[in-house]
Amino acid sequence: MKEEQILKNYESAKAIYRDFGVDADKALEKYKNMRISLHCWQGDDIRGFEEKVVASENVVTGNYPGAARNPQELRADIEQVLKNSPVRHKVNLHSVYAEPKKPTSREELDVTAFENWIEWAKKNKVGLDYNGSFFAHEMMDNGLSVTSQKKEVRDFWIRHLETTREIAYNMGKSLNDVCVNNIWFPDGLKDNPADRRYWRELLKDSLDKGLKKKYDKKHLIDTLEAKVFGIGTECFVAGSYDFYLPYCIKNGVGICLDTGHFHPTESVADKLSSLSLFFDDILLHVSRGVRWDSDHVTVCDDTTNAIMVEANRAGIMDKLHIALDYFDASINRIFAWTVGLRCAARSMLAALLEPVDMLKKAERADDFGLRLALTEEAKALPVNAVWDMACLQAGAGVGYDWIKDVQNYSEKVIARR
Ligand code: RNT
Ligand code: ZN
């Protein structure tokens, strides 16, 4: 799109927003400092760089050609994705993306295995977040890690948790930033357990051990991620939301909400106002649950929009850690990545542009009719004109231009792999 057109559209959008008491310039200013953490694992279907790749508890389907085969390709692909997004970024890594100088067992890795990532992050002016990889490993005991009945298995994964936190802390320190270390265990059972409490006692005990060491929160924030069920854990997941919510509050750990990890009619957006009263740290895994699958590409749907709107209305937009988490191997991965990132980013901007002052004022005045009228009118405000302006200012592709850019990269780079 022509620059002149973008500027013209923005000016008229600004006037419309003004009528609703919204200053689009101010929203854009605020927006420029917002960050989204891009998950590296969409680029290679969570394979990682370990020599030995075993079946994973994270089920990824599809075999679209051109997945990144090594760190260089993955980083190049991430750069391509980031350049079409107008916000600031972090990149979210997993242990399996380590590049140790000499072969090292996963639970014994240290931050030196991430030197390339750290250098790259500095060069690209992005932060880093981290995750231990409690899956796809021969020490998984029939889908169980920290809740295995075998002490040696639990000890192995507790050790992994400890070294993971050390790595994350050092990553944060090297970048003079905060690194969010998210902890997710697939542990659960296919069929009904006889003793649910027993498995949860194991989980609690392992977590107490792995989280014992305290770190400066300036550089490390731990979060725990629950799931209602998974493939192979249909009847029971040890780390349920009811487990982690009290655990995190009691132990001062942050909580991670993945939009695909709840009952389909349960609203993650509705949780934010409550959680923010009791938590310092909330991590979002913005994803898209489809029936029983939790990891479709994020889109601008009601769920994504509602999350951003609630975050803004609750005044916690700056406080939230917003990350993406999906993996679709059935379509061009660069499209999958970029669409999800741009959709999360656009929903975020739309939330900042909501006439929130007017809405709250109507509500306080008990004028719920006005609140409804404003809500519905707000849905059709010209967000896209402001979004295009944000993209223009950040040098990200506007309108159809980013699609052509991805097609070009796909032809020149992806198709040649
Ligand atoms: C899995 C969880 C978890 C993973 C990543 C790879 O259901 O959502 O966050 O997707 O750690
Ligand atoms: Zn997740």
Side-chain angles (χ1 to χ4, degrees), residues 175-236:
L175 296 173
N176 194 24
D177 193 2
V178 66
C179 178
V180 179
N181 179 53
N182 183 51
I183 304 159
W184 172 72
F185 309 116
D187 297 41
L189 301 172
K190 189 175 179 69
D191 220 327
N192 287 312
D195 190 353
R196 287 166 187 262
R197 180 166 163 131
Y198 165 71
W199 301 102
R200 293 192 164 127
E201 277 169 0
L202 291 175
L203 177 58
K204 179 176 176 299
D205 184 65
S206 293
L207 278 173
D208 288 348
K209 290 183 173 126
L211 294 171
K212 194 173 244 154
K213 188 164 174 189
K214 299 293 165 221
Y215 289 88
D216 185 351
K217 280 182 71 175
K218 195 171 157 224
H219 298 307
L220 172 68
I221 286 168
D222 294 299
T223 56
L224 282 162
E225 178 181 12
K227 192 165 180 170
V228 66
F229 86 102
I231 295 172
T233 57
E234 289 84 355
C235 285
F236 174 75

Side-chain angles (χ1 to χ4, degrees), residues 41 46 58 94 131 182 184 225 227 258 261 285 325 327:
W41 50 90
I46 331 181
N58 269 313
H94 247 283
N131 305 254
N182 183 51
W184 172 72
E225 178 181 12
K227 192 165 180 170
D258 184 312
H261 286 196
H285 270 187
D325 181 17
F327 20 94

Side-chain angles (χ1 to χ4, degrees), residues 75-228:
R75 284 191 279 266
D77 288 356
I78 295 174
E79 284 173 35
Q80 164 62 34
V81 174
L82 296 183
K83 87 188 225 258
N84 279 315
S85 157
V87 287
R88 290 171 60 224
H89 305 98
K90 294 177 102 181
V91 169
N92 206 355
L93 302 174
H94 247 283
S95 298
V96 293
Y97 293 87
E99 298 166 80
K101 307 248 163 13
K102 56 176 197 322
T104 309
S105 180
R106 197 189 290 177
E107 85 290 8
E108 295 304 338
L109 288 169
D110 63 28
V111 74
T112 58
F114 291 90
E115 267 166 16
N116 293 343
W117 280 111
I118 292 169
E119 280 320 300
W120 175 85
K122 284 182 183 161
K123 208 176 111 209
N124 287 278
K125 299 194 170 56
V126 298
L128 290 176
D129 289 324
Y130 195 57
N131 305 254
S133 309
F134 298 84
F135 51 77
H137 195 278
E138 54 207 345
M139 281 303 274
M140 289 301 290
D141 172 21
N142 199 14
L144 303 174
S145 61
V146 289
T147 66
S148 164
Q149 303 199 54
K150 303 183 183 98
K151 186 171 181 307
E152 72 272 18
V153 173
R154 291 201 304 279
D155 286 347
F156 174 90
W157 291 110
I158 292 168
R159 174 82 186 136
H160 181 51
L161 176 55
E162 287 168 345
T163 53
T164 288
R165 298 179 66 222
E166 191 71 22
I167 290 168
Y169 173 74
N170 283 301
M171 264 181 191
K173 223 171 135 190
S174 336
L175 296 173
N176 194 24
D177 193 2
V178 66
C179 178
V180 179
N181 179 53
N182 183 51
I183 304 159
W184 172 72
F185 309 116
D187 297 41
L189 301 172
K190 189 175 179 69
D191 220 327
N192 287 312
D195 190 353
R196 287 166 187 262
R197 180 166 163 131
Y198 165 71
W199 301 102
R200 293 192 164 127
E201 277 169 0
L202 291 175
L203 177 58
K204 179 176 176 299
D205 184 65
S206 293
L207 278 173
D208 288 348
K209 290 183 173 126
L211 294 171
K212 194 173 244 154
K213 188 164 174 189
K214 299 293 165 221
Y215 289 88
D216 185 351
K217 280 182 71 175
K218 195 171 157 224
H219 298 307
L220 172 68
I221 286 168
D222 294 299
T223 56
L224 282 162
E225 178 181 12
K227 192 165 180 170
V228 66

Side-chain angles (χ1 to χ4, degrees), residues 44 143 167 197 275 300 323:
D44 72 339
I167 290 168
R197 180 166 163 131
L275 292 181
C300 279

